[in-house]
Amino acid sequence: MNKRKITVAVTGLNNIDSPGPVIPVIRGLKESETIDVRIVGLSYETLEPGIYMHNLVDKVYQLPLPTAGSTVLKERLKYIASQEKIDVLIPNFDAELHNFIKIQEDLKSELNIATFLPSQAIFDERQKSELGKFGEKYGVKVPESHMINQVLEIRKLEETMSYPLVIKGRYYDAYIALSYEQASSYFYKVVAKWGYPVIVQEFVTGTEVNVTAIGDGKGNCIGAVAMRKMYITDKGKAWSGISLEDDELMKISRKIIENSQWRGGCELEFIKTKKDEYYLLEMNPRFPAWVYLANGCGQNHPEALVKMALGEEVQPFADYQSGKMFIRYSYDQIVDISEFQQISTMGER
Amino acid sequence: MRIRKNIAISENGFIFNPLTGDSFSVNETGIFIIQKLKNGESEETIIRNFMDEYELDTYTAEKDLNDFLSMLQNYQLITNE
């Protein structure tokens, strides 16, 4: 079968012990049976391992950090588009999505680069700080959450909430605090790294279960695979996990994707309590780092996303295999300094 | 007592629960009981077979079977339905 050749740009080439989804996304795309994908990697730092993975990433360009804003990002993408014919662009980091959502129309009209992102309104709805309203709107249980900007606000919350409390950053990081002293210390730690506001969340006891899912933006859930972490690193990242067969979890996940009309990939993080209740802890607006497990279970989500970005109709996946595991490993690449020099000085390789 | 739907049991005693992602290994006696449960046999029949197979008195057979069943229940491997 002749595969159609297309070029896909993917952002964030990190694959460290707090891995991003990009390498699994690339692997999914490379394993497509219908499209032959050339990968343009868009990196933020010169030591991101993906920059040097020649078997997966065909060309690399550096991007300005998300804090530089959407205008600078657009300028850089204009240059890249003058060098490469990019058909689809997949952003992979929470912190950069705001910029990409902002310029998604311009990317299509001016540079003919397709994306498959949610609208700003739907993106904002599932922000960690808005989780309570999100749960209410879409009929899903969520832990009680409050956004705070001052450490003293924890004292006020103590009147209605009891320890342990979860102290979370607006994008990443979560700490379990057993006392006010711990909570205030975590508050400052989170502020130093992620800024304001800080989220204070009720601690729900149970087993963490996660779902990687993809929606078509028209109220259809195209695919969803559930996973339980089996080995967690000291950063709380899944180093191995196993796919589950949980009808109730699938039902809740599909309901969220369908009712929110989610467009693109996402990760739903739940706690399953001993009473078999599911609490949504977070909805991350991009594929998780373990999205390749979905591919291993029979659902190639990155491929489905690219096809939808190109305007094709994609039929929802009917099922997937449970009992499939992913087990990560670290791997040393030997790189000549000239390659590092190339990306450091020229911003591309 | 019945083995829950979709529980995978291999011949060498490896059990996988796709609902929770848990996996277990049981010994020969465990496989013996689980196979009987899977075949839908009653507790009385299992106790009788258990006594015959391992030359046990009623008290020991009942006690060991109940211990094992409560463990299976705790790990969500069986239901009362």
Side-chain angles (χ1 to χ4, degrees):
Chain A
M1 185 179 169
N2 274 342
K3 289 189 189 180
R4 187 162 36 121
K5 284 187 193 296
I6 61 163
T7 300
V8 177
V10 290
T11 67
L13 300 178
N14 101 62
N15 197 32
I16 56 170
D17 62 342
S18 177
V22 73
I23 300 300
V25 165
I26 296 171
R27 290 179 70 197
L29 294 176
K30 291 275 185 189
E31 287 176 22
S32 167
E33 289 176 3
T34 52
I35 47 178
D36 180 3
V37 181
R38 178 171 185 270
I39 296 291
V40 173
L42 306 173
S43 63
Y44 286 105
E45 290 174 26
T46 50
L47 282 177
E48 290 175 12
I51 296 172
Y52 308 98
M53 295 180 183
H54 296 270
N55 56 332
L56 293 175
V57 182
D58 300 285
K59 175 79 187 171
V60 178
Y61 294 91
Q62 291 271 78
L63 281 188
L65 287 170
T67 45
S70 56
T71 311
V72 179
L73 173 67
K74 203 171 134 187
E75 280 308 308
R76 180 62 175 157
L77 289 171
K78 261 186 195 170
Y79 165 76
I80 296 168
S82 71
Q83 306 296 308
E84 308 280 341
K85 164 75 187 84
I86 295 170
D87 298 295
V88 179
L89 190 152
I90 308 176
N92 290 294
F93 282 151
D94 299 22
E96 68 182 0
L97 280 169
H98 173 75
N99 286 337
F100 278 103
I101 288 171
K102 209 167 163 186
I103 63 170
Q104 60 178 322
E105 300 299 331
D106 296 345
L107 288 183
K108 187 66 195 160
S109 60
E110 294 173 27
L111 306 177
N112 203 23
I113 299 174
T115 52
F116 203 70
L117 297 165
S119 67
Q120 187 68 51
I122 296 171
F123 177 79
D124 289 342
E125 264 186 1
R126 52 88 256 160
Q127 295 273 24
K128 287 183 193 185
S129 49
E130 303 295 318
L131 197 65
K133 284 184 213 158
F134 186 83
E136 209 170 296
K137 186 169 177 186
Y138 299 116
V140 55
K141 285 193 177 80
V142 297
E144 185 182 343
S145 300
H146 297 273
M147 244 188 330
I148 62 170
N149 289 294
Q150 290 179 20
V151 73
L152 280 176
E153 290 179 75
I154 297 172
R155 283 289 188 212
K156 194 163 169 42
L157 291 174
E158 283 175 350
E159 290 168 16
T160 52
M161 298 172 86
S162 52
Y163 290 100
L165 294 173
V166 187
I167 311 294
K168 301 172 103 166
R170 61 185 299 193
Y171 292 119
Y172 294 104
D173 279 349
Y175 301 95
I176 297 163
L178 302 169
S179 63
Y180 175 77
E181 287 68 31
Q182 282 188 352
S184 54
S185 145
Y186 293 142
F187 174 91
Y188 290 118
K189 204 170 173 175
V190 164
V191 167
K193 205 164 174 190
W194 301 109
Y196 297 98
V198 170
I199 295 137
V200 179
Q201 199 171 70
E202 170 193 4
F203 180 76
V204 182
T205 318
T207 307
E208 185 182 338
V209 284
N210 301 315
V211 175
T212 180
I214 179 167
D216 69 356
K218 299 174 198 158
N220 298 308
C221 178
I222 299 300
V225 170
M227 179 277 292
R228 199 196 87 190
K229 296 174 183 178
M230 296 177 81
Y231 186 93
I232 301 170
T233 67
D234 55 359
K235 287 188 177 165
K237 306 296 170 188
W239 205 249
S240 66
I242 189 161
S243 61
L244 306 175
E245 183 181 327
D246 187 331
D247 295 341
E248 183 61 21
L249 178 60
M250 283 295 105
K251 204 170 111 190
I252 295 169
S253 303
R254 279 197 206 99
K255 188 168 82 175
I256 294 170
I257 301 296
E258 288 165 5
N259 292 353
S260 67
Q261 302 205 321
W262 185 259
R263 191 169 186 261
C266 69
E267 180 187 29
L268 301 163
E269 296 182 4
F270 293 92
I271 290 286
K272 182 182 182 182
T273 67
K274 280 201 167 170
K275 289 180 183 169
D276 288 344
E277 293 172 315
Y278 294 85
Y279 282 82
L280 179 69
L281 297 185
E282 272 178 36
M283 181 178 186
N284 294 316
R286 36 85 199 148
F287 286 129
W290 57 273
V291 67
Y292 189 69
L293 178 68
N295 200 27
C297 295
Q299 297 193 2
N300 192 335
H301 290 184
E303 180 194 29
L305 183 137
V306 163
K307 286 184 172 175
M308 287 193 287
L310 292 170
E312 295 174 22
E313 280 289 321
V314 174
Q315 289 305 311
F317 292 103
D319 51 19
Y320 65 89
Q321 285 180 278
S322 60
K324 290 282 180 191
M325 296 165 63
F326 73 88
I327 300 164
R328 291 212 174 102
Y329 68 105
S330 56
Y331 185 86
D332 308 1
Q333 301 185 88
I334 304 301
V335 176
D336 191 80
I337 186 87
S338 59
E339 236 186 299
F340 178 68
Q341 175 198 315
Q342 172 75 16
I343 191 80
S344 303
T345 56
M346 305 304 289
E348 57 187 272
R349 76 113 179 104
Chain B
M1 290 279 182
R2 281 190 15 200
I3 295 283
R4 282 178 86 132
K5 193 184 93 170
N6 300 342
I7 301 283
I9 303 158
S10 75
E11 282 177 9
N12 57 9
F14 188 82
I15 301 170
F16 172 59
N17 183 352
L19 178 67
T20 61
D22 291 326
S23 54
F24 310 87
S25 282
V26 295
N27 62 12
E28 189 195 333
T29 323
I31 302 172
F32 178 86
I33 297 170
I34 284 171
Q35 287 300 350
K36 302 275 175 208
L37 286 169
K38 208 176 162 192
N39 295 339
E41 290 181 20
S42 68
E43 273 183 62
E44 291 73 30
T45 313
I46 296 173
I47 289 171
R48 241 187 350 263
N49 293 159
F50 201 25
M51 288 166 66
D52 294 344
E53 182 76 19
Y54 296 99
E55 297 176 2
L56 301 171
D57 59 75
T58 318
Y59 172 78
T60 310
E62 278 183 6
K63 183 179 166 296
D64 288 356
L65 180 67
N66 285 336
D67 280 353
F68 190 64
L69 291 179
S70 64
M71 197 188 294
L72 293 180
Q73 195 150 30
N74 194 29
Y75 289 128
Q76 301 182 50
L77 294 170
I78 52 174
T79 67
N80 286 319
E81 290 161 14

